[in-house]
Amino acid sequence: ENAGKNLFFFINNEGSHTPFNHYDRENPPFTPTTPDFQNPAAQAEEVNNAYDSTVHYTDEFVRRVVTAIQDRPFIYFYVSDHGEYLGHDGMWGRAALGEQHISYHSTTGCRVGMFVLYNEAFEKLHPHFAPALQQLRTNASLCVAHEHLFHTLLGMFRVQSPFYNASLDLTAPAAQPYTGPTP
């Protein structure tokens, strides 16, 4: 309906949050998937299978979104909000080790997925984004955090703001890696 208009979508999908039930329950890709979260260690296989099924569902969701918009110029930013421990080092959820709770930011669980997809039509329609996209590729190996997303969007779309920080803009040569609480 809006083929000739610029569109911005913010999509918040449930993804892989406990109780890990956002997937095709009739045809789960990984089985068995009937976890008991009261004692996840006792059902580690089921918990991991349910989690993996939600990741598969999220992948399929992203694929469907990209397929729906592939005929128009697009850029798609995906950022997870947090990781989950699935029994690694005896931890479950967001870094609870038995009765001992440890700082989530002191674990590798806070390292989350982020990716950016865009198509050739986006680059052709908006050639002024070429340097920003090249810089984004150059900065792909930086350790980044959620803080980077806000500033990257401002920088990418040249939005003027007194809150903009070029060191957190992944499309800027001045971008710096995340240096907050140790991930």
Side-chain angles (χ1 to χ4, degrees), residues 4-168:
K5 297 180 181 177
N6 289 328
L7 302 173
F8 177 86
F9 293 101
F10 176 84
I11 302 170
N12 179 18
N13 60 321
E14 187 65 24
S16 301
H17 287 90
T18 53
F20 305 146
N21 61 7
H22 294 279
Y23 58 90
D24 181 355
R25 308 286 291 210
E26 299 297 318
N27 300 298
F30 304 96
T31 58
T33 59
T34 55
D36 173 5
F37 288 95
Q38 298 303 313
N39 186 3
Q43 291 191 309
E45 180 182 10
E46 289 86 348
V47 171
N48 278 273
N49 284 340
Y51 178 83
D52 290 346
S53 291
T54 65
V55 171
H56 181 269
Y57 177 83
T58 300
D59 288 347
E60 282 298 305
F61 176 80
V62 170
R63 184 192 60 73
R64 287 193 315 269
V65 169
V66 170
T67 298
I69 61 176
Q70 70 184 352
D71 293 334
R72 61 183 306 144
F74 76 86
I75 187 164
Y76 187 112
F77 287 82
Y78 177 90
V79 182
S80 182
D81 59 345
H82 60 78
E84 292 279 347
Y85 277 93
L86 302 171
H88 306 95
D89 300 322
M91 293 184 281
W92 292 92
R94 291 187 215 143
L97 182 58
E99 294 300 314
Q100 173 191 0
H101 292 278
I102 58 178
S103 169
Y104 177 67
H105 281 93
S106 68
T107 71
T108 57
C110 73
R111 294 183 181 177
V112 298
M114 175 181 174
F115 61 83
V116 179
L117 301 172
Y118 55 90
N119 62 2
E120 196 173 296
F122 180 83
E123 284 188 281
K124 286 182 179 177
L125 182 63
H126 304 290
H128 58 282
F129 285 137
L133 294 171
Q134 179 55 47
Q135 193 62 50
L136 193 59
R137 287 188 291 272
T138 299
N139 290 330
S141 64
L142 289 180
C143 179
V144 299
H146 291 117
E147 291 87 340
H148 285 87
L149 185 62
F150 173 76
H151 301 280
T152 299
L153 290 172
L154 291 178
M156 178 87 187
F157 295 104
R158 299 180 182 162
V159 175
Q160 299 297 312
S161 168
F163 303 106
Y164 172 75
N165 180 342
S167 70
L168 294 172

